Amino acid sequence: MSDFEPLDSLEIESLPIEKVLQLEPLHEAWDEEKTQSLAKSMMEKGWEGRPLFYASTPYFERLGSGTHRQSALQLLFDIAYENDEVLWNGKMIDEGDFEDIQIPMVDLREYLDDEDIEEFFDFADEDDRMAWVSDLLPDDVFRLYTIEQ
């Protein structure tokens, strides 16, 4: 994971893990090794790196980035549910405390209007989505969105 420095132009909010897990992912987390590695890192260090991007509209709530990080959170949530506790940030915490951990989030609606949000999620090809959204997001926000984690 990379070090994250908040940007002046970035509107960061927080959502509890339980809410993050309810967001529809942009795509399936196809790399199980990456998901496992992220879960292990979260167990040792908690949340690191950039916030997740998402959009909440009257019609849907979807994740716009971080599908593998969401999948890693789901793995840890399942462990917490089965064992009533989970290792997070180097400490054992109970299931209820885990569900309430706040995850940094950026709502794409801060930068895109409703029509653009719908179009953002309509792209099947990631490269096409990136080329299209690069013209709509502020440069520093776009660079942050495209950091590989």
Side-chain angles (χ1 to χ4, degrees):
M1 295 200 195
S2 69
D3 294 327
F4 168 69
E5 295 289 329
L7 303 170
D8 291 337
S9 62
L10 194 63
E11 296 286 332
I12 299 177
E13 58 187 82
S14 295
L15 292 177
I17 286 175
E18 186 174 40
K19 179 72 174 166
V20 173
L21 294 177
Q22 293 171 3
L23 298 171
E24 181 184 342
L26 187 58
H27 56 77
E28 286 189 40
W30 49 267
D31 188 339
E32 183 63 30
E33 187 175 310
K34 181 176 183 177
T35 297
Q36 293 287 338
S37 175
L38 287 164
K40 182 177 183 223
S41 176
M42 290 175 189
M43 292 170 73
E44 295 169 357
K45 302 173 189 170
W47 188 267
E48 284 192 329
R50 68 183 170 117
L52 298 178
F53 285 74
Y54 81 107
S56 179
T57 75
Y59 309 105
F60 62 81
E61 292 184 314
R62 290 191 70 182
L63 201 57
S65 70
T67 301
H68 287 88
R69 289 180 289 159
Q70 182 193 44
S71 184
L73 288 172
Q74 183 66 58
L75 283 175
L76 297 179
F77 181 85
D78 293 345
I79 291 169
Y81 182 77
E82 289 177 21
N83 302 317
D84 296 324
E85 62 182 7
V86 67
L87 184 63
W88 177 265
N89 198 20
K91 299 178 229 161
M92 292 301 289
I93 61 172
D94 68 40
E95 175 188 356
D97 289 341
F98 180 72
E99 291 173 2
D100 293 335
I101 290 173
Q102 299 291 305
I103 302 300
M105 306 289 290
V106 173
D107 191 340
L108 287 167
R109 291 185 331 137
E110 293 291 330
Y111 307 100
L112 305 175
D113 63 26
D114 287 345
E115 187 177 303
D116 289 336
I117 291 289
E118 287 185 36
E119 191 165 346
F120 176 87
F121 288 108
D122 282 344
F123 281 97
D125 182 78
E126 184 70 15
D127 291 336
D128 290 343
R129 179 184 299 107
M130 291 299 100
W132 176 80
V133 80
S134 67
D135 293 332
L136 299 175
L137 294 176
D139 289 344
D140 54 352
V141 175
F142 178 73
R143 280 192 300 275
L144 179 65
Y145 178 81
T146 59
I147 293 173
E148 189 65 33
Q149 297 221 338

